[in-house]
Amino acid sequence: MYGRHRCTAMGSKLFSLLLVLPIATIIIFIAIFYVNSEFLSVQKLVLVFGAVLLLISNSIMFFIFGQLLNMSEKSRKIERAYVKRDMERKYFQHLEKVNQEHRALLHDINKYLRTAAELIQKGNVRDGLEIFFKADLRLQETTRLQYSEHKILNAILCERRWRAEEWKVDYRVEIEKGINISFIDDMDLIAILGNLIDNALEAASQLPEGAFTEIRMFMANQYHLLVMEIRNSYLIPPKMGRDGYITSKENKRVHGIGIHTVNRLLWKYGSTLRTETSCNDFLAEIVWSVPQ
């Protein structure tokens, strides 16, 4: 809905600029009507012919304008479909990985149970229960991650979970059940959360130990507000620019793009990004006004 509104606004501006052409045409026709009678009939005919061609060019210009808007809208739809398909592909890859781990665990579960039963039968209850406990832990580790019922949000969070494990960052997610994010465009959700979580993980991964990234989402003010909080530890504090926190990296021109993108997208929803730095962690918070 917001993407369509943005496209309409852009089209309205271009349409206003194109109005110069028909206005100029009208002026020329008025001039022809009041043209000096000293003009030869051939000259008048040529002038009328040129004005008619100008009128035709008006029609062609507005036809091209309409086609360009249609092509732009189709291009946006294709881009949206591609990004969503890519997110869903990564999510299904995660499901396949979990299924493979389940199959491997089921293959070994009989060995665990037989070994534990033999230990308990021989009176070694403690070791037998420990094997049961380890088998249960393995089963929990291979359980499919389900942070949210929203497929796109869940895919975003799952993908970052794998990156956190790779970078040895403690990844904590707390999503309130029944949160309303239906009003947020999928592309905007991917861009906003993707940028913020990626920044948080990258900053936290620089710590030799104790690195963490915590994500919380919940409803507030009787479900009129949606709150998203992303908190992370850091080694190098983010640098402050005129427009707010930029980056903790040296190349600010490149790495500051993410935050500017987030702020630009949030502006469409009437929301802003609030940041807070303490001696141990960095907080990025967004409060959304939920349409009723």
Side-chain angles (χ1 to χ4, degrees):
M1 181 179 68
Y2 289 94
R4 193 182 302 113
H5 174 73
R6 183 183 176 189
C7 177
T8 304
M10 180 188 69
S12 299
K13 291 180 180 179
L14 291 176
F15 182 79
S16 299
L17 293 175
L18 286 176
L19 284 177
V20 175
L21 191 58
I23 290 173
T25 305
I26 293 172
I27 293 174
I28 290 175
F29 272 101
I30 293 174
I32 292 173
F33 182 78
Y34 290 106
V35 71
N36 193 315
S37 58
E38 294 180 359
F39 272 87
L40 299 176
S41 58
V42 176
Q43 293 175 324
K44 289 181 181 180
L45 185 62
V46 171
L47 187 58
V48 171
F49 180 72
V52 170
L53 288 180
L54 184 59
L55 187 60
I56 294 173
S57 69
N58 274 265
S59 303
I60 295 174
M61 285 292 293
F62 279 95
F63 173 77
I64 293 174
F65 171 73
Q67 292 298 107
L68 286 175
L69 284 183
N70 289 335
M71 291 177 61
S72 178
E73 185 65 23
K74 288 180 181 178
S75 175
R76 268 188 291 272
K77 288 181 179 179
I78 293 172
E79 182 184 5
R80 285 165 54 87
Y82 175 79
V83 173
K84 290 178 69 174
R85 187 183 66 178
D86 187 58
M87 293 297 299
E88 290 173 353
R89 177 184 59 82
K90 292 176 181 177
Y91 182 58
F92 287 130
Q93 285 178 346
H94 163 68
L95 294 183
E96 179 60 26
K97 178 183 177 183
V98 169
N99 289 335
Q100 289 177 358
E101 292 176 350
H102 272 153
R103 286 194 291 267
L105 179 59
L106 289 174
H107 181 265
D108 297 333
I109 198 71
N110 288 331
K111 298 177 184 177
Y112 293 143
L113 293 176
R114 284 200 301 268
T115 303
E118 289 176 5
L119 289 171
I120 293 174
Q121 189 176 13
K122 292 178 181 179
N124 197 344
V125 178
R126 182 176 179 179
D127 290 344
L129 291 176
E130 185 176 352
I131 290 178
F132 276 123
F133 179 70
K134 289 181 178 179
D136 181 61
L137 283 180
R138 279 198 60 186
L139 186 60
Q140 291 180 19
E141 289 174 355
T142 57
T143 301
R144 178 170 65 94
L145 292 176
Q146 184 70 37
Y147 294 116
S148 171
E149 295 178 356
H150 192 282
K151 288 184 179 180
I152 297 298
L153 175 59
N154 198 61
I156 294 170
L157 297 173
C158 286
E159 183 189 2
R160 270 62 185 189
R161 168 65 179 266
W162 310 328
R163 191 175 303 173
E165 290 176 353
E166 180 184 348
W167 291 350
K168 297 179 173 55
V169 176
D170 184 15
Y171 188 73
R172 313 165 194 166
V173 178
E174 182 181 339
I175 308 294
E176 182 182 275
K177 189 175 181 180
I179 62 170
N180 182 9
I181 59 173
S182 60
F183 64 96
I184 305 175
D185 184 83
D186 288 339
M187 292 284 288
D188 294 341
L189 186 67
I190 292 170
I192 292 169
L193 283 183
N195 273 299
L196 293 179
I197 298 176
D198 287 346
N199 289 346
L201 288 173
E202 194 166 353
S205 66
Q206 298 175 9
L207 281 167
E209 59 182 14
F212 76 88
T213 293
E214 181 181 73
I215 302 163
R216 296 178 65 237
M217 299 183 192
F218 55 91
M219 303 300 294
N221 193 22
Q222 298 181 343
Y223 286 83
H224 288 85
L225 299 176
L226 168 64
V227 182
M228 295 182 177
E229 294 180 347
I230 301 173
R231 187 183 299 272
N232 63 274
S233 54
Y234 62 83
L235 178 64
I236 304 172
K239 297 177 181 179
M240 176 73 80
R242 288 185 303 175
D243 298 329
Y245 290 96
I246 304 299
T247 180
S248 58
K249 301 181 179 181
E250 294 300 325
N251 192 351
K252 293 184 287 185
R253 177 171 296 182
V254 175
H255 298 288
I257 293 175
I259 296 299
H260 289 296
T261 299
V262 170
N263 285 324
R264 177 175 55 81
L265 293 174
L266 289 176
W267 179 82
K268 298 192 303 181
Y269 298 88
S271 302
T272 56
L273 174 66
R274 186 182 74 85
T275 57
E276 180 181 314
T277 305
S278 68
C279 57
N280 297 317
D281 55 53
F282 176 80
L283 171 67
E285 181 186 64
I286 303 172
V287 178
W288 308 77
S289 179
V290 181
Q292 299 301 315

